[in-house]
Amino acid sequence: MNNGDSTAIFSTEAGFIALNGSVKIQILELLKNGSKSFDEIVNHTGKAKATISVHLKDLRSCSLLEEHVDPDDRRKKIYSLRCQYVACSQEPGLEHYTDMLKIISSTDFERFGSLVCVFHAVQYGFLANGINCDPIMRNIGRDVGKSFAHSLISTEPDDLFAEMEVFWEKNDIGKFSVLSKDPLKLEVHDFFACKSLPIKTKVLCTFVKGVFEGVFIDKFAIDCTMENISVCNNNCEPCILVMKEFKKLL
């Protein structure tokens, strides 16, 4: 979590904005995972409602977020990002990046898999250099998912999920299971061997969301958003992904 001395850089249609202030950065980090209500933002930050109102007003004036009326309750407001998180002056990635390089230089390199180690090193390397690669990795994940979809035959959801599970295990991508279908909720385990490595901080959550979105775009002709509702922690628990938004593609 950023502290009061950290600075984050965000990209908007008008250019780059450097933002200093832990509460504002907390709010924008929360909104990276999808739109949130005013009450959700208050609960997440632990600040007074009046304080959050001031911060939200400031962020709107900078075109960093936008406000909408909640379709389920017009008395309430929901907030979403109008920017992309580009970089932060303080990231935990440097330590993990150094540890990953040590693994690559050790005899564990072959045991964990050379491509897996290099892939994780690239992810931590972005963080170590202060770059938030989530938007890029999500887009790459979507492209990879669309490419995976070319190897899948099924177009019916149940058959597709069964085929995907076999495909994932066969190609050492990881494992997943369907927890519910309405809304669609998936539990993803050990994606690209993340759990087998001694470094237990997740860096692939955004990438795996993009992979599923890419498969669904190709197979179901829908533009969808998968949201990770699980907590990323040092235990590297499974990701719980929920389909939040989707629309039919023309």
Side-chain angles (χ1 to χ4, degrees):
M1 184 59 65
N2 296 290
N3 59 36
D5 296 323
S6 65
T7 298
I9 300 174
F10 298 87
S11 174
T12 71
E13 293 179 356
F16 293 100
I17 295 177
L19 189 65
N20 184 276
S22 60
V23 177
K24 288 184 175 64
I25 293 174
Q26 269 188 282
I27 293 171
L28 295 176
E29 286 180 339
L30 175 65
L31 296 179
K32 284 194 303 182
N33 295 321
S35 299
K36 303 296 180 184
S37 69
F38 178 80
D39 288 340
E40 287 176 314
I41 295 172
V42 170
N43 291 336
H44 177 75
T45 59
K47 301 296 182 180
K49 290 185 177 181
T51 301
I52 296 303
S53 293
V54 172
H55 285 303
L56 291 174
K57 183 178 180 180
D58 290 344
L59 292 171
R60 288 174 59 200
S61 68
C62 297
S63 298
L64 291 171
L65 59 76
E66 55 190 359
E67 179 185 272
H68 304 281
V69 175
D70 189 334
D72 297 324
D73 187 343
R74 299 189 63 83
R75 297 169 299 176
K76 298 181 179 180
K77 304 291 185 181
I78 55 175
Y79 297 87
S80 57
L81 287 184
R82 289 189 62 189
C83 61
Q84 288 191 332
Y85 191 151
V86 177
C88 183
S89 61
Q90 296 183 14
E91 291 281 358
L94 181 58
E95 178 184 350
H96 302 316
Y97 182 53
T98 302
D99 289 342
M100 202 70 241
L101 293 179
K102 290 179 180 177
I103 291 173
I104 291 174
S105 66
S106 72
T107 55
D108 289 329
F109 185 49
E110 293 184 3
R111 179 164 65 91
F112 292 126
S114 58
L115 290 179
V116 168
C117 289
V118 171
F119 187 48
H120 284 266
V122 169
Q123 290 277 282
Y124 288 124
F126 275 114
L127 295 177
N129 286 279
I131 298 174
N132 173 49
C133 58
D134 281 356
I136 298 171
M137 292 307 298
R138 188 170 202 149
N139 288 335
I140 295 174
R142 281 190 165 208
D143 291 337
V144 169
K146 292 174 186 177
S147 297
F148 283 164
H150 296 166
S151 301
L152 305 171
I153 300 173
S154 307
T155 55
E156 292 298 321
D158 289 344
D159 295 336
L160 179 65
F161 292 139
E163 188 180 2
M164 285 177 66
E165 289 178 31
V166 173
F167 180 82
W168 275 41
E169 291 196 46
K170 177 181 177 181
N171 293 280
D172 296 323
I173 299 170
K175 298 179 181 180
F176 76 92
S177 56
V178 180
L179 300 180
S180 68
K181 297 177 183 177
D182 188 17
L184 179 62
K185 182 184 293 185
L186 307 173
E187 184 177 71
V188 182
H189 303 261
D190 204 18
F191 185 72
F192 277 97
C194 61
K195 196 169 185 179
S196 66
L197 293 169
I199 303 171
K200 298 302 183 186
T201 299
K202 290 185 178 181
V203 291
L204 296 178
C205 299
T206 303
F207 183 71
V208 70
K209 287 187 287 188
V211 169
F212 277 108
E213 289 167 357
V215 171
F216 299 152
I217 288 170
D218 186 270
K219 288 299 181 181
F220 300 148
I222 59 172
D223 188 5
C224 63
T225 298
M226 301 299 295
E227 180 177 332
N228 183 11
I229 62 172
S230 56
V231 177
C232 293
N233 55 37
N234 291 336
N235 296 322
C236 201
E237 299 295 336
C239 288
I240 307 297
L241 305 182
V242 177
M243 185 182 289
K244 287 293 187 178
E245 301 174 1
F246 70 90
K247 62 180 179 180
K248 285 287 185 180
L249 296 175
L250 300 178

